[in-house]
Amino acid sequence: MFIKKLVEKASIKMPLGNSLDGLKGSDVDPRLVFHQGVPSGGAKFAYDNIQKILALSTKDGRIKLFGEDNAQVLLESKEPVPSKFLLFIQNQGILINVTFNNHIEVWDIDKKLLSDVYIVKEEITCFSVIKHSLFMYIGFSNGNISVLMLDQEPWHVVRMKYTIPLSASYGNSTEESDDTVVTHVLPQPAAESQRVLIIFRNGQIILWDIREIRSIFRTGGKILQTRYNETRKVSSACWVCPFGSKVVVGYNNGELFIWSIPSLNTGNSLATDYNSQNTPMFKFNLGYKSDKTSIGSVKWIYAEGKASRLYVMGGSDYAPSNLLQVVLLNEHTESRTIKMGLHLPEGCIDMEIISTSSKHRQNYFILLGKSGHVYLYDDNLIERYLLQSQSKSSPSLPKEVVVKLPLADSNITTAKFISNNSNFFSSEDEYYNQLVKNYPPLVPIETNLKDGINFSSSNFTGFSNIRNMYITGHSNGAINFWDATCPFFTPILQLKQQSENDFSLSGIPLTELYFDSNSPLLFSGDQSGMVRIYRFKPEPYASNSFMSLTGGTKKGTDHVIHSMKLIKTSGTVICMNIDHSSRHLAVGSDQGNVSVINIDGPSLLYRKHIASEISTGIISLQFKTCSLHGFEKNILAVGTKDSSVLTLDGETGNTLSIGTIHPKKPSKAIFMQVLDGQGEQTAGSVTKDGLELKEGIHIEDATAKQLYILLCSEKALYVYSFAHAVQGVKKVLYKKKFHSSSCCWASTINSLSDIRLILLFASGKVELRSFPELTLIVETSVRGFTYSPPKLKSFSDSQICCSSKGDLVLVNGDQEIFVVSLLAQRNIFRLLDSVSCIYRKERMPSQEELVPGPVIHKEKKRGIFSSVIKDFTSSKEKHAPLLEKKDPKESIRELSAIFSNANFACNDNVDKPTMDENQLELNIDDIDLEDHVEKRKEQSILGALNKKKLAGTFQSLKGAL
């Protein structure tokens, strides 16, 4: 999907004895296993109101889907192009994504694949779907409109013959300044199969009759001039009436108008005429015009005539106090407009209204900030505030909730990932199924909402019951253990930073963790230089119940922790390593200090300062045992931030090498490790300097393992001889420079008895290389998978770590988690298929999920919006007479027949009469004065349509006369 494999030819001779049966290209399969959270760079929302699926597209061509039961799926387009329009075909499992390069992508969200890409040569300026159908309108910059249809098996786009040319809808424009770009094509509510509203950028609003193939009403546009003849262009629009009799239009100068539109389901459909109207029925005064803020988007919620609301979002690059407002459209309001402003910390680029799947429907208003953050409002609180804002006891202003990962209350500052515990599989899938269902959802589309995650350490039974474990250190000093057996990381244990006598949280950020699962021991280092040693009790730990995600009595960690000791070092701790044989812990700081601690005491054995003229800081420490001049020595290899490497006597701290080894042009080092390899050195041989290597190594086939020093900097990779480095001699065995991008993170993995090197670059590229030859095995990239190293003394917003099996976990702030696997046939998680199930074929829409009909209320005193919402409440009483409602399937069949035929002989040169031109002459014998219901089922569809067309034209003529 996103993988591009480049296998380098090995130009370097393999060392003697190197196995050719190790990791090959076929053993490697880099892939994104799971993505949790809100992807960065969000651009557009879409919502399936029946399936309860929220879609969020990004600027780099990704689409994240959120469904019920915490289901999450990340889709990826072929090209990293942002979305122009994003719409669901409701309850069909189809998502339409129109990109900025005018490609129409058809996503089958049941199969999670891209079913079709329809390429359009013209510039698409608007897009809409006809309700209850597979038909779509697309408007172009040249003013024309085409009709598309989705065909099945597999889903693909078919362009229909029916078109709406500019010359037919708008008329022949005589002015070159006319901006006839189509900005909105809105099927008329309750008459989607008969009429469509066309809005041009210059403000012209045309009501098009699909069957009569002509425009029947015109309003708006250049007839409404501004005071200073400023250019007014349409920037947003939506219906504000369930019958399609009112449309709200926003303009780039901040004006917002409601226009009256003739409707088949209200009295104004049989008014005296359909002549053009020059004046909007209502003008809003929300302050956008004075701030010169364009109306970026409008959304409307129909609430049975009681408290219908209009959401208005500004579209400027800055964020004035009234950037986002909600207006109450209610006939019972007082003389002035009832509105409220929602004050967000940043400007927004999109908004959507979603609802829960519970029995009592609950609406939520969600916003997408320019930073990529998603904000959430309880729409019930917004409605209550608007209704009660005029009373003496006005409620408090609703507060936004930022959508975050339920990882913790504080930022992650360091992390470790441990995968594939060999003792696992004692728990059943039902246990993890329950965890997933109770996991707090990112967006509230669940039946049972949870407030958040709490840790209940009294329910933690031991590490051996966990397949994958994620350990995080936080800015408040806390250490959290997460069960990562299933894709949703669930909390199992929390250790708070404390002193031996003071159990209060000190709040010093953690900077390094080291977990030894064999002991088990946990070491933590913080920004102040304090090292804590946690010793765990033998397993299993006492537990009375399963772990609770949302509560549970916190009884402390006495049943888990045997003891906790502290020892002070100098400087911020940035690396740690343990020598199991000597029970020594080496600690490196940002000030260049190396501290070695006896963990049994604990006591500080010695402290060594490593000076540097370029950059201080110890990035890596590693113990190795070898025989030096016939004596066994415990050697401590030290890697510094300036790319220098030196060796110390592990017991005393004395320098063994004469000097440090380093590249000719030092750059910032990010990784150093001492690794085994197959070498040409025979067992028992002694170098000219009297150094004989061993790491508790048994001699086999007269060949001893050779030790290498792997050093990775931002600019290059180096493999040194450890034997030479001990004496201060630089011998470069292998070297690889980076040219296209700088390296920002590195690690090693062990698989099939081989060692492989993982490199992550600032561009997002990921490389897997062999060791020690540094040959490229595979190169890949994952969109959005970028890591920003910490700068100076600040912490990075992203944290990355890797297991020994090649499983990478990247956490980007509090928004998203990537889990990437590099090796083939790796099943990291349980229940992966379950949490990726978005579409439910068996789901049927409830009555509340369908568009609600109007509710008739008794006549009461009307306020300023009485003319706006009169259709909502009393229009049925004024119908004259109501048209018979058709079966939607029958209407779609008729549409299919209409759209399958070319309605104009030549779409480029069409001279079709519009409402402002002479009407067709009718003969009295052609007029059918009877009811317009089909009397014979065998009558052809087109024949019936022609009959209705004549009748409709007659009604128009009657109104004109």
Side-chain angles (χ1 to χ4, degrees):
M1 180 174 61
F2 53 78
I3 301 169
K4 180 183 179 182
K5 296 183 177 181
L6 300 174
V7 180
E8 269 186 355
K9 293 183 179 180
S11 58
I12 304 175
K13 182 180 178 181
M14 292 283 186
L16 183 64
N18 196 352
S19 173
L20 298 178
D21 297 328
L23 194 65
K24 301 182 181 67
S26 59
D27 300 320
V28 179
D29 181 21
R31 65 201 181 280
L32 177 64
V33 178
F34 189 72
H35 177 277
Q36 181 186 0
V38 178
S40 58
K44 287 287 182 182
F45 280 131
Y47 185 60
D48 189 325
N49 188 52
I50 299 174
Q51 286 285 329
K52 307 300 179 187
I53 302 174
L54 176 68
L56 172 60
S57 66
T58 66
K59 299 174 183 177
D60 60 0
R62 293 176 294 155
I63 302 175
K64 184 62 184 286
L65 303 177
F66 302 92
E68 292 183 296
D69 295 331
N70 270 315
Q72 297 186 33
V73 168
L74 185 66
L75 308 175
E76 188 171 299
S77 301
K78 293 182 178 180
E79 298 181 9
V81 181
S83 298
K84 188 184 292 187
F85 305 103
L86 190 69
L87 288 172
F88 276 101
I89 306 294
Q90 295 287 318
N91 201 31
Q92 295 295 322
I94 296 297
L95 177 66
I96 306 296
N97 179 36
V98 182
T99 66
F100 266 88
N101 57 4
N102 298 308
H103 291 185
I104 301 176
E105 298 178 347
V106 181
W107 286 95
D108 187 331
I109 60 177
D110 181 26
K111 299 178 181 178
K112 307 176 189 66
L113 55 81
L114 183 61
S115 182
D116 186 32
V117 178
Y118 185 82
I119 300 176
V120 180
K121 296 180 180 180
E122 304 97 324
E123 181 186 354
I124 301 175
T125 55
C126 63
F127 185 87
S128 61
V129 178
I130 300 179
K131 190 176 179 182
H132 304 307
S133 78
L134 299 176
F135 293 108
M136 300 164 285
Y137 293 112
I138 51 172
F140 303 106
S141 58
N142 59 10
N144 295 332
I145 298 171
S146 293
V147 179
L148 303 179
M149 184 188 72
L150 274 180
D151 203 357
Q152 301 186 39
E153 295 183 2
W155 293 102
H156 62 279
V157 175
V158 178
R159 195 160 189 165
M160 308 301 288
K161 296 180 180 180
Y162 190 97
T163 61
I164 307 177
L166 175 66
S167 57
S169 61
Y170 186 88
N172 293 322
S173 177
T174 58
E175 298 185 23
E176 295 182 358
S177 60
D178 265 359
D179 194 347
T180 54
V181 173
V182 182
T183 60
H184 295 82
V185 181
L186 306 175
Q188 190 173 34
E192 287 89 353
S193 63
Q194 302 176 61
R195 293 176 172 182
V196 61
L197 193 70
I198 305 170
I199 304 177
F200 297 91
R201 185 178 292 172
N202 62 10
Q204 284 286 347
I205 302 174
I206 304 296
L207 184 62
W208 179 267
D209 191 298
I210 299 172
R211 289 163 168 77
E212 295 185 15
I213 318 176
R214 67 185 185 93
S215 59
I216 58 175
F217 178 75
R218 182 190 298 269
T219 188
K222 298 176 63 176
I223 50 180
L224 184 65
Q225 297 291 336
T226 59
R227 181 179 299 178
Y228 303 104
N229 291 324
E230 61 183 353
T231 303
R232 177 196 290 114
K233 295 183 179 181
V234 173
S235 56
S236 59
C238 74
W239 292 106
V240 287
C241 172
F243 311 112
S245 64
K246 305 291 181 293
V247 65
V248 63
V249 180
Y251 301 87
N252 64 337
N253 64 349
E255 291 180 320
L256 187 66
F257 301 153
I258 289 183
W259 297 91
S260 177
I261 305 297
S263 172
L264 292 176
N265 290 274
T266 55
N268 62 357
S269 66
L270 299 177
T272 57
D273 58 58
Y274 269 8
N275 288 334
S276 301
Q277 295 182 359
N278 299 340
T279 307
M281 64 182 303
F282 187 77
K283 298 181 180 180
F284 291 94
N285 182 18
L286 302 179
Y288 292 100
K289 186 176 181 180
S290 60
D291 291 329
K292 297 182 178 180
T293 301
S294 173
I295 306 297
S297 180
V298 286
K299 291 280 184 182
W300 174 68
I301 282 188
Y302 175 63
E304 297 182 353
K306 299 178 182 178
S308 296
R309 296 173 297 286
L310 180 66
Y311 293 82
V312 185
M313 185 179 74
S316 66
D317 293 332
Y318 60 93
S321 59
N322 60 346
L323 190 67
L324 181 67
Q325 297 191 59
V326 186
V327 182
L328 187 69
L329 303 182
N330 191 350
E331 64 170 328
H332 309 300
T333 60
E334 299 298 330
S335 59
R336 66 187 184 90
T337 304
I338 296 180
K339 61 182 181 180
M340 63 175 292
L342 299 178
H343 306 282
L344 290 173
E346 60 173 328
C348 294
I349 56 178
D350 201 11
M351 59 181 176
E352 189 57 78
I353 300 166
I354 65 174
S355 58
T356 62
S357 57
S358 58
K359 294 181 179 180
H360 304 286
R361 186 172 181 177
Q362 170 69 52
N363 289 332
Y364 288 90
F365 178 50
I366 60 174
L367 295 141
L368 179 60
K370 292 182 178 180
S371 66
H373 285 93
V374 175
Y375 303 91
L376 183 75
Y377 284 94
D378 186 337
D379 195 58
N380 284 355
L381 297 180
I382 292 177
E383 178 184 7
R384 185 169 63 183
Y385 179 88
L386 289 169
L387 292 176
Q388 299 180 4
S389 60
Q390 302 300 305
S391 61
K392 295 182 179 179
S393 58
S394 178
S396 59
L397 194 68
K399 298 293 183 182
E400 79 277 3
V401 175
V402 182
V403 175
K404 296 181 180 180
L405 288 170
L407 282 180
D409 296 331
S410 59
N411 296 332
I412 298 175
T413 52
T414 182
K416 302 293 180 185
F417 186 61
I418 303 168
S419 64
N420 277 31
N421 185 345
S422 59
N423 298 324
F424 177 71
F425 289 110
S426 59
S427 298
E428 298 295 335
D429 279 349
E430 182 59 33
Y431 170 76
Y432 288 101
N433 272 319
Q434 193 64 31
L435 289 181
V436 170
K437 289 182 179 180
N438 292 330
Y439 200 83
L442 280 174
V443 289
I445 54 181
E446 302 300 321
T447 305
N448 300 314
L449 299 182
K450 303 295 180 181
D451 296 330
I453 283 185
N454 290 326
F455 288 85
S456 182
S457 60
S458 60
N459 298 319
F460 176 56
T461 59
F463 300 109
S464 60
N465 294 327
I466 302 170
R467 180 181 182 182
N468 305 320
M469 185 164 60
Y470 187 54
I471 310 174
T472 55
H474 296 260
S475 57
N476 63 358
I479 302 172
N480 294 328
F481 289 78
W482 308 83
D483 185 345
T485 303
C486 65
F488 296 116
F489 295 178
T490 52
I492 52 176
L493 178 67
Q494 184 179 71
L495 305 177
K496 293 186 176 181
Q497 191 183 83
Q498 54 186 271
S499 66
E500 294 178 84
N501 299 320
D502 183 9
F503 289 88
S504 62
L505 190 66
S506 61
I508 300 176
L510 292 181
T511 54
E512 179 64 357
L513 292 171
Y514 187 94
F515 180 68
D516 181 11
S517 58
N518 296 322
S519 304
L521 289 169
L522 174 68
F523 305 94
S524 71
D526 63 25
Q527 203 171 35
S528 69
M530 185 65 71
V531 175
R532 289 170 172 81
I533 304 173
Y534 298 89
R535 194 182 306 273
F536 292 86
K537 292 180 178 180
E539 297 185 17
Y541 307 129
S543 177
N544 297 324
S545 62
F546 286 118
M547 187 267 301
S548 172
L549 287 172
T550 57
T553 305
K554 298 183 179 180
K555 300 178 181 179
T557 58
D558 293 341
H559 68 298
V560 178
I561 301 299
H562 179 270
S563 63
M564 191 278 296
K565 300 294 182 181
L566 292 87
I567 190 163
K568 181 70 173 177
T569 62
S570 178
T572 299
V573 177
I574 56 178
C575 64
M576 290 189 290
N577 197 281
I578 188 174
D579 180 26
H580 293 93
S581 59
S582 64
R583 307 280 293 172
H584 289 175
L585 175 71
V587 180
S589 75
D590 64 337
Q591 298 179 5
N593 296 315
V594 177
S595 303
V596 176
I597 301 168
N598 182 356
I599 62 177
D600 291 330
S603 61
L604 179 65
L605 297 178
Y606 62 84
R607 180 177 296 158
K608 180 78 173 181
H609 178 70
I610 310 299
S612 174
E613 297 179 357
I614 301 175
S615 176
T616 60
I618 310 299
I619 64 160
S620 181
L621 297 166
Q622 193 164 358
F623 289 100
K624 284 295 176 182
T625 302
C626 69
S627 180
L628 181 61
H629 300 292
F631 296 96
E632 190 174 84
K633 276 289 184 181
N634 189 14
I635 299 177
L636 178 61
V638 182
T640 64
K641 191 177 292 185
D642 62 0
S643 299
S644 298
V645 178
L646 72 156
T647 55
L648 305 177
D649 186 323
E651 301 296 330
T652 64
N654 296 329
T655 304
L656 294 177
S657 55
I658 301 173
T660 63
I661 59 173
H662 52 77
K664 292 181 180 180
K665 295 181 179 179
S667 60
K668 181 181 177 182
I670 57 178
F671 182 77
M672 190 278 291
Q673 193 169 356
V674 180
L675 297 167
D676 298 334
Q678 294 289 347
E680 300 178 3
Q681 186 178 16
T682 57
S685 64
V686 181
T687 67
K688 62 180 180 179
D689 300 294
L691 179 67
E692 190 175 81
L693 297 176
K694 104 177 186 184
E695 190 198 3
I697 304 171
H698 61 277
I699 298 173
E700 165 174 58
D701 296 333
T703 302
K705 290 184 180 179
Q706 182 176 341
L707 294 180
Y708 301 94
I709 296 179
L710 172 65
L711 178 69
C712 179
S713 71
E714 291 180 332
K715 304 297 183 183
L717 281 172
Y718 303 91
V719 176
Y720 298 115
S721 168
F722 181 79
H724 291 78
V726 170
Q727 302 162 79
V729 178
K730 182 176 75 171
K731 184 177 181 180
V732 181
L733 302 177
Y734 301 95
K735 179 181 178 180
K736 177 64 181 178
K737 288 186 177 180
F738 308 134
H739 300 287
S740 59
S741 179
S742 60
C743 185
C744 58
W745 179 85
S747 184
T748 55
I749 63 174
N750 296 281
S751 178
L752 301 176
S753 302
D754 283 341
I755 298 172
R756 294 295 178 258
L757 176 63
I758 305 174
L759 303 173
L760 177 62
F761 294 84
S763 61
K765 179 180 66 174
V766 179
E767 287 185 356
L768 184 65
R769 290 186 174 270
S770 66
F771 182 83
E773 303 87 3
L774 306 181
T775 303
L776 181 64
I777 300 174
V778 66
E779 175 185 308
T780 183
S781 62
V782 183
R783 290 185 201 170
F785 189 84
T786 55
Y787 172 68
S788 302
K791 297 179 180 179
L792 298 178
K793 294 185 178 181
S794 62
F795 293 99
S796 173
D797 290 334
S798 55
Q799 290 294 328
I800 187 171
C801 56
C802 178
S803 73
S804 61
K805 304 297 183 181
D807 306 320
L808 281 74
V809 176
L810 173 67
V811 178
N812 271 339
D814 52 11
Q815 280 195 252
E816 60 180 338
I817 299 177
F818 291 87
V819 180
V820 175
S821 181
L822 297 178
L823 302 183
Q825 299 179 350
R826 282 274 302 151
N827 297 320
I828 305 176
F829 295 127
R830 281 188 169 187
L831 306 180
L832 185 58
D833 293 337
S834 175
V835 299
S836 301
C837 182
I838 290 287
Y839 179 66
R840 303 172 189 274
K841 295 181 180 179
E842 69 279 0
R843 183 175 179 87
M844 298 297 294
S846 64
Q847 291 298 322
E848 291 185 352
E849 290 166 348
L850 298 174
V851 176
V855 177
I856 301 176
H857 299 279
K858 292 182 179 180
E859 187 70 23
K860 295 183 180 180
K861 181 181 178 180
R862 301 179 182 270
I864 192 170
F865 283 110
S866 60
S867 61
V868 178
I869 52 85
K870 64 182 179 181
D871 293 344
F872 300 174
T873 56
S874 58
S875 57
K876 276 195 172 182
E877 300 171 3
K878 299 180 181 180
H879 289 178
L882 274 176
L883 296 178
E884 180 180 342
K885 291 186 178 181
K886 285 187 176 182
D887 181 7
K889 293 183 179 180
E890 180 184 351
S891 299
I892 298 306
R893 284 194 295 268
E894 293 180 1
L895 270 185
S896 181
I898 295 172
F899 289 157
S900 298
N901 292 276
N903 52 334
F904 293 105
C906 181
N907 295 332
D908 295 329
N909 298 296
V910 179
D911 186 18
K912 189 72 177 178
T914 60
M915 191 57 228
D916 295 330
E917 302 177 28
N918 296 330
Q919 302 294 330
L920 295 174
E921 295 184 3
L922 296 179
N923 187 288
I924 191 65
D925 296 330
D926 297 329
I927 301 176
D928 179 14
L929 299 179
E930 300 297 326
D931 196 8
H932 306 150
V933 180
E934 296 182 43
K935 299 180 180 180
R936 293 177 297 171
K937 293 184 180 180
E938 64 272 12
Q939 182 180 6
S940 68
I941 294 178
L942 291 177
L945 293 178
N946 290 332
K947 186 177 180 181
K948 293 177 183 178
K949 175 180 175 181
L950 292 174
T953 308
F954 173 75
Q955 292 289 355
S956 300
L957 284 174
K958 189 176 78 171
L961 293 173

